[in-house]
Amino acid sequence: MRFTVAIDGPAAAGKGTIGRAVAERFGFAHLDTGLLYRAVGARMLAGERAEDAARDLRPEDLSDPDALRTPEVAQAASKVAVIPEVRAALLDFQRAFAHRVGGAVLDGRDIGTVICPRAEVKLFVTASAEVRAQRRMDEWKAKGLSADYDEVLADVKARDARDADRAAAPMVAADDALVLDTSNLGIDEAVAAAVAAVEAKRPL
Ligand code: DC
């Protein structure tokens, strides 16, 4: 069975949590596509051309996801993501993953619009910038790190603007996506809504 769930939306809206929960619930494979851009961003920060890094991305580039989940790498990822050659180099891998037998959940920015326009289920998960900045703060705090709210909020807004305003595959909800605003929605409710959307389309 091939079945694709496309989850898009801005940083810290809950895409990853919802994606992992849906994948676990239905036994689908899950791909956080942001990690691909982060791996390219990290190699750019190390001095490589982003286009070359994207063309030659290797499994070991993704082997330490936590090292890629830093604010510096996030901003670098968002910068390399505006380059059409980078996006083109990452396209085949994402499409192959989406079509794997057994079902797949992909989360990112352009999954429902560009990577998998025919996905069986499309979700656009969002929340206000303030709520998302506070979630990032809480994540840092849980890791024993400190952060300045105004700086985190400015970072969130800068990345939103770059991701939404770029010419190549901008972050936008597909016309047929179910929009989930998690500003005032608990994670359990958001996951329940996503699971219901998949149940409604899943072959029996
Ligand atoms: O989801 P994330 O925060 O890890 O993504 C990091 C950056 O990668 C994000 O700011 C934009 C880019 N990205 C993208 O352009 N397209 C995707 N499908 C996923 C991420």
Side-chain angles (χ1 to χ4, degrees):
M1 182 216 38
R2 289 186 171 74
F3 190 94
T4 307
V5 182
I7 308 182
D8 292 303
K15 304 185 297 290
T17 309
I18 293 171
R20 276 188 299 277
V22 167
E24 197 172 314
R25 171 79 166 67
F26 296 99
F28 297 164
H30 175 238
L31 178 66
D32 167 3
T33 64
L35 270 189
L36 305 176
Y37 292 89
R38 284 173 184 261
V40 174
R43 281 176 59 174
M44 181 191 73
L45 290 175
E48 258 184 274
R49 278 182 76 235
E51 295 87 331
D52 296 340
R55 261 181 235 116
D56 161 58
L57 208 61
R58 298 179 290 254
E60 56 265 36
D61 292 321
L62 306 171
S63 62
D64 187 0
D66 280 346
L68 299 174
R69 294 205 173 97
T70 67
E72 293 74 25
V73 174
Q75 292 296 340
S78 162
K79 285 179 189 160
V80 302
V82 307
I83 305 171
E85 290 80 3
V86 167
R87 307 200 70 83
L90 301 178
L91 192 91
D92 287 348
F93 176 78
Q94 295 176 82
R95 284 208 176 132
F97 191 96
H99 295 136
R100 65 199 279 155
V101 173
V105 180
L106 288 84
D107 70 72
R109 303 291 187 288
D110 63 338
I111 308 302
T113 50
V114 175
I115 305 294
C116 306
R118 298 172 66 182
E120 281 76 8
V121 177
K122 296 182 187 177
L123 305 173
F124 191 84
V125 182
T126 188
S128 72
E130 289 72 17
V131 165
R132 290 183 288 121
Q134 189 56 53
R135 284 185 192 153
R136 278 285 184 258
M137 293 284 294
D138 296 344
E139 281 171 23
W140 294 131
K141 218 180 275 172
K143 287 184 186 167
L145 304 166
S146 63
D148 177 69
Y149 175 78
D150 292 333
E151 262 178 45
V152 175
L153 180 60
D155 257 25
V156 161
K157 287 185 173 171
R159 208 139 69 87
D160 281 358
R162 209 181 292 119
D163 295 346
D165 296 344
R166 68 183 178 221
M171 171 176 71
V172 63
D175 290 340
D176 51 350
L178 169 70
V179 178
L180 284 179
D181 186 333
T182 65
S183 303
N184 299 307
L185 204 62
I187 191 60
D188 291 347
E189 294 164 285
V191 168
V195 165
V198 174
E199 289 282 12
K201 291 282 174 66
R202 205 163 62 114
L204 293 174

